[in-house]
Amino acid sequence: GKDAGSIQIVSHDAIIEGSFNGNTIKGELQRELPTALNDQPAYLRNFMEFAKGSSFSLDFTRSLFPFNRDVRIDNIAQNIGLESGDVGIDTPLDTNHVVNLDQSLFNSSGLSHFSITSSGRVDLLNDTNLNLLSAGSLLIESTGTLLEGSITAPGGDINITSGSIRLDSGSNLNVAGLWVNDALSVISQESPTFDKKIIDGGSVNLSGRQSLILENGTDIDVSAGAYLPVLGNLADVTPGNAGSISVGVETGTEQDALLTLGGSFSGYALLGGQGGALSINTNSVEINSNGQGLNQSTLYLDDNFFALGGFQNFEVISNREGLLVDSTAQINPVLQNYQLNSNAFSSGTTT
């Protein structure tokens, strides 16, 4: 299979009710992540690499009209039933129109890489679950983003830059690597599945200009997977490396930006793999013994924060008012690792 192409839509408005096909073909030997070809033609891609996935881009930022365009991603069909003759060059502009995207665009179109840029909001509503392809990606740039569901992209990348970002309780972002078990074909006496070997965790980057709020019950996971070859045993397992998480708010101007970290972060790896990297960037930080304080614009971290989640590298940046390590804090970073359980050898490809 060879690399897929791209679809780009640039407009002041759009009604998207058609279907898209961005599937690629994967041969049995095409199991490794595609590398950058630079200026070389696509047909020179290494035959062990699977094809680069297709991309889909929406851009609502280039309009000359003085209003913002909101985008809603939903699991509830919003088809308004327009016929081809209903819309033309002289159709009046609806300044309040919301662009509705059904989750099927992300879950069943075969498209791999998504980019949505808007001068308005981009929201994921009604417990919608986006299950992107392995090594897929989602980029959102907007004035505001609310996530009320989940986004999964094994070994992929999620990047959201917005004026304000909020993850509701129960929302999760999962780009963990996969457990790929070739030995299962021997155990089950079935033909090998030759799944993609995406064992490294991906990346999640969330940047809010005014606020970033992760409510209690949210979860971000960039943990690593591992690979077991056909005739392998425990000693033959290749551990993957966990990915990276970056969360932060910009330097406030007239008022402080707000960062609230109520959820959990995971960046585990098996022994032999690298733990994840966690970066936090906010206006003001205090590290103390209980993670509590009175200043709403200050991020309070308890000293045990650095012993959780399997992370190997931490970066904490105060971009405006400084960072205080209270005298009560006792920081002891601990690198926690995954261990294979008894069901691993009989489990197929999974996170």
Side-chain angles (χ1 to χ4, degrees):
K2 298 302 180 181
D3 292 357
S6 62
I7 299 169
Q8 184 179 27
I9 298 174
V10 180
S11 178
H12 61 76
D13 198 359
I15 298 171
I16 300 175
E17 296 181 353
S19 60
F20 299 87
N21 186 344
N23 288 293
T24 57
I25 296 173
K26 189 189 81 67
E28 290 184 351
L29 298 180
Q30 291 182 278
R31 309 187 65 189
E32 307 294 337
L33 278 168
T35 56
L37 291 171
N38 298 321
D39 295 327
Q40 298 184 63
Y43 66 82
L44 292 179
R45 181 172 298 287
N46 188 305
F47 72 93
M48 302 292 284
E49 299 176 359
F50 56 84
K52 182 181 178 181
S54 52
S55 62
F56 181 88
S57 172
L58 286 175
D59 186 346
F60 298 112
T61 63
R62 305 186 193 181
S63 174
L64 298 176
F65 300 98
F67 52 82
N68 298 326
R69 181 65 60 207
D70 293 340
V71 179
R72 178 185 297 125
I73 306 170
D74 210 331
N75 57 20
I76 301 174
Q78 300 285 342
N79 192 313
I80 61 176
L82 287 176
E83 301 294 336
S84 59
D86 292 340
V87 179
I89 191 68
D90 296 323
T91 302
L93 186 66
D94 181 359
T95 59
N96 297 315
H97 179 241
V98 175
V99 178
N100 293 292
L101 301 178
D102 189 81
Q103 64 180 358
S104 61
L105 173 68
F106 302 85
N107 295 352
S108 56
S109 65
L111 297 163
S112 296
H113 305 285
F114 296 88
S115 172
I116 304 173
T117 307
S118 178
S119 55
R121 297 186 58 84
V122 177
D123 296 322
L124 179 71
L125 303 176
N126 297 316
D127 297 324
T128 298
N129 299 318
L130 303 186
N131 298 306
L132 307 187
L133 295 176
S134 298
S137 64
L138 174 63
L139 180 147
I140 294 175
E141 295 180 354
S142 67
T143 59
T145 294
L146 168 65
L147 300 182
E148 294 180 334
S150 66
I151 304 172
T152 301
D157 302 293
I158 299 172
N159 294 277
I160 302 176
T161 302
S162 183
S164 61
I165 303 172
R166 193 177 96 202
L167 272 65
D168 268 4
S169 179
S171 298
N172 64 83
L173 306 177
N174 190 329
V175 294
L178 299 174
W179 164 248
V180 182
N181 183 3
D182 284 359
L184 183 62
S185 61
V186 177
I187 298 172
S188 62
Q189 297 183 341
E190 298 178 354
S191 298
T193 57
F194 298 107
D195 294 316
K196 297 175 182 178
K197 291 195 288 187
I198 301 174
I199 62 175
D200 292 339
S203 67
V204 174
N205 298 288
L206 306 177
S207 178
R209 289 183 290 275
Q210 287 88 39
S211 65
L212 169 58
I213 299 175
L214 308 181
E215 294 189 353
N216 292 331
T218 60
D219 179 67
I220 300 176
D221 192 349
V222 298
S223 298
Y227 169 65
L228 178 65
V230 171
L231 300 178
N233 53 42
L234 186 61
D236 299 308
V237 171
T238 300
N241 298 320
S244 63
I245 298 173
S246 175
V247 292
V249 291
E250 296 182 1
T251 304
T253 52
E254 296 181 0
Q255 59 184 14
D256 290 334
L258 176 64
L259 176 64
T260 301
L261 303 181
S264 61
F265 303 103
S266 300
Y268 297 96
L270 289 173
L271 188 64
Q274 291 186 353
L278 176 59
S279 175
I280 299 171
N281 189 341
T282 188
N283 294 173
S284 174
V285 182
E286 180 177 324
I287 302 171
N288 57 36
S289 61
N290 58 17
Q292 298 179 11
L294 299 178
N295 190 344
Q296 186 180 12
S297 63
T298 297
L299 175 67
Y300 294 94
L301 299 175
D302 69 81
D303 48 14
N304 194 47
F305 180 84
F306 302 94
L308 302 174
F311 292 96
Q312 188 165 332
N313 295 291
F314 292 91
E315 180 183 54
V316 180
I317 299 173
S318 174
N319 57 35
R320 183 173 182 179
E321 297 177 6
L323 185 152
L324 171 66
V325 179
D326 190 80
S327 60
T328 62
Q330 296 183 359
I331 301 175
N332 277 313
V334 175
L335 178 58
Q336 299 176 324
N337 295 107
Y338 271 155
Q339 287 186 325
L340 292 176
N341 60 36
S342 58
N343 297 322
F345 293 92
S346 58
S347 298
T349 299
T350 184
T351 53

